[in-house]
Each structure stands twice: as structure tokens, then as C-alpha cells.
Amino acid sequence: MSSLTPSPIAAVRVTPIAFRDPPLLNVAGVHEPWALRSIIEVETRDGRIGLGESYGDLKTLADLNQIAPQLVGLDPFDLNGLTRIVYASVGGNPDTGATFPAAGDKARASALGAFEVALLDLQARILDRPLYQLLGGAVRPAVAYSAYLFYKFARHKDFDGYPPDDWGEVLTPEQMVGEARRMINTYGFGSIKLKGGVFAPEEEIRALDALRGAFPGLPLRIDPNGGWSVETTRRVMPALAANGLLEYLEDPCSTLQEMGEVAKFAQGMPLATNMVTIAFGHIPETLRLNAVQVILSDHHYWGGLRATQQLAALGRVFGLGISMHSNSHLGISLAAMTHVGVTIPNLRYACDTHYPWQVDEVITGGKLKIEGGQLAPPPGPGLGVTLDRAQLARLHCNYLECGIRVRDDAKEMRKHRPDFDDRRPRF
Ligand code: GKR
Ligand code: MG
């Protein structure tokens, strides 16, 4: 085999894991004690391994496990080959040039993103280059992340699988300022996002005001995850728009049409989303309604790192801002977000990450270190991270034993408040 012919893929492993997650509140309820993910390993015949991290719910695992054996024999540089296999397996149409479906294609794009990252990691390892160099090189040395604040309970209900976290209860504006102070002191974040949709908007605006008072000059955002009606959003818009309180307002309402209505009275404040525009096929209608001005990209469901760059390019075409969304995740995902983030010229907002809330890790060397609110791509070839096999085994055991197979924040909340109603809009 010539040195120009890379060793083909010989094995693909998808390992479901569960890691500790604090009782963080959101519009849907409260986080369960365990968050689920999948760890993807793609190994070539000559023993190189590329890594990916994705969702760990049953549907995603079924898709990944259906695709995995079909990748054996594929050249790790053949990303179009990967795309054909994924398209044929999830959605049943291998035509990679077909127009993106207007209804979206989250399952297909999520499966593609999971394996694309692992193949790019492999490619970069074969070339002995950091992954971002395969994406065109870095336009900045590091990616800025924001302090992602949550209301939270002090402890999970009826659970003694591990000791409670040390953040305590956060249910008041004063407690929220305390949470922000600890997070900013520890990580140096230069902007703040408040997960809303938990209390009535007026109460959450009191928390924003307290944060503004404690951290003057730091950009603020709130994300009620579609928990407000259009009328509620109209009522609170003057307070949100006053004195430039917000950098952007994320997903006040839960449909594209409602966001389009809100945009008409948003008083110039950008609306952001990771809920109503989550696929390329959603973009035409988004533009027609002028429903959002900032899209939170996410390589996990937009189709990978190259798709994230393509989304960013569309942002430049249509004048949409680009930020980055996050769910509970570990270091492989953070490394991937950071590698693509340094290559995107118009990534002008600090990105979301849940990472500070996670104490477990699956990569060698433990947690990646966000400093000065920023993270540079981990050094070394590929993503710059390797698997800690002992941790992978431990987190896989958690998965086998925890009993959770699909995230259900509402069910978890009913353990605390039996009458909890997760219908939206909540307010
Ligand atoms: O984990 O509670 C959470 C978040 O609300 C998450 O589910 C969202 O996907 O963080 C996300 C967001 O920005 O909407
Ligand atoms: Mg959001």
C-alpha cells in the first residue's frame, strides 16, 4: 500500500455512557442524575483511532449502530462516501445532492456529525496535524465561551448514587449572582447566558438586573427554551430591550411563526435560536419570516464540522449572526467545538457550553481547562484528545446501571413537584 493510500477503516465502536449531571432547571423540568452520551471510535487497519461524541438516547444509538458496520473498508478521507452511507441508512435516500428537506433532518445530520468528527480526527492524525488545519486553519487562537447559568436544586430527589454537587441551591437573583461569581472567577468568562423558562419572566428579569449590577459591561443573554407565549414576550420586551440589557434573546417562543411575530416588536434586539432553525432545510422559511437574527450552530445536529462552517458561510450570505449551542457533554465534544470554532471568521459571539457543570471525563488528563473564558484547541494531532479507557469503562457501567435510556426532565421534575406541567408556553 503506497503511503498515499491510507489504511481503511477496520472497526467502529459506539459506546453509550452516563455521567453525573447536577439538578439543573429548565422549562422542561430538571436534569436527571445521569446525562447520556455516546463515544464513537473509528479504527483503521493500522491501528489509528479517530474519536467522536454524540447523543446517547436510544434512537441515536440505534442509528449509529446501524451505520457503524457499514463503515468497515471505507477510506477515512472519503467523507462523501460516509455521507452516502448515512443518508441511505437514516432517511433512505443516498442522494447527497438532494435539496435539504423543509421539515429538517436532525436524525440524519446527527448521525453524520458523529462519524464525520471521528473521520476528521483520523485524517488529521494520519497527516500528523491538528484537526483545525484540515478545516482551513485558525483565524483566532482560541474560542470564547460564556458562563452558562442555571437555576438549580441543591440535590437530586430520592437519589444517593453520588454525593450532591457543591453549587448548592440557586433559586433567587442573589443566589444566581453567587453562581455567576464562582463561574466567572473559576473560568474567566466574559459573557453570561441565563437558562430561563423556569420562573415567570419578570422574576428572571430581576435575576438579569442583578447580574447586570454585579457584572457591568458583560454581555447577557436569556434562553427560556420556548417557554413564553408571544403575548408574554410582548409584555416583557421593553424591560429586556431597556438599556441594551441583552446581547440577544434566545428562543422566547417555540415555533418559527411565533418567533417571526416576536421579531416584529423586538425593538432591534436580535433573536437567537437553537430550537426553531436547526437544519439547513429550515433556513428559507426562517429568512422569509425574518424570525431569527442569530443561529446557534451545533455540529452534533447540523451534520458535523464542515456543515458548521457551511452554516457560518450562509450566515455571511444572509446577514445572520452565528453563535454555538451546547447540551451536557464531555471533552471530545468540547475539543470538536473548539477546533471548528477557531476556523469560523464570523463566530462573533461567545459559545455556550455546559462543560463547567460536568465533573466526569472520558479523555486522558482529565478536564480541559477553560481559562480567561477561552479554550484553545488541545495541542497534538487530530482533536488533540485521547480516550481514557478506564473512565470509558466506568462511564459505560454507569450507563448499564442507571436505568435511563431517554432524557426526561419532566418526569424527574415530578419527583420534586408532582403537579408539574411541562406544556408550553408555560408563561
Ligand atoms: O440542558 O437544560 C438544558 C438545556 O436547556 C438544553 O437542553 C438546551 O438544549 O442548552 C440548550 C439550549 O441552549 O437551548
Ligand atoms: Mg437555547
Side-chain angles (χ1 to χ4, degrees), residues 193 195 223 225 250-251 274 296 325:
K193 163 167 169 169
K195 174 57 61 181
D223 175 14
N225 278 123
E250 184 175 328
D251 287 317
N274 62 271
L296 277 73
H325 163 258

Side-chain angles (χ1 to χ4, degrees), residues 120-144:
L120 285 171
D121 185 28
L122 253 183
Q123 293 177 16
R125 284 176 190 280
I126 291 166
L127 298 171
D128 199 20
R129 295 277 189 158
L131 195 159
Y132 66 81
Q133 290 187 355
L134 271 66
L135 299 173
V139 295
R140 61 179 66 82
V143 172

Side-chain angles (χ1 to χ4, degrees), residues 285-296:
E285 188 66 355
T286 301
L287 294 172
R288 196 181 69 73
L289 296 172
N290 184 31
V292 300
Q293 292 71 48
V294 179
I295 296 183
L296 277 73

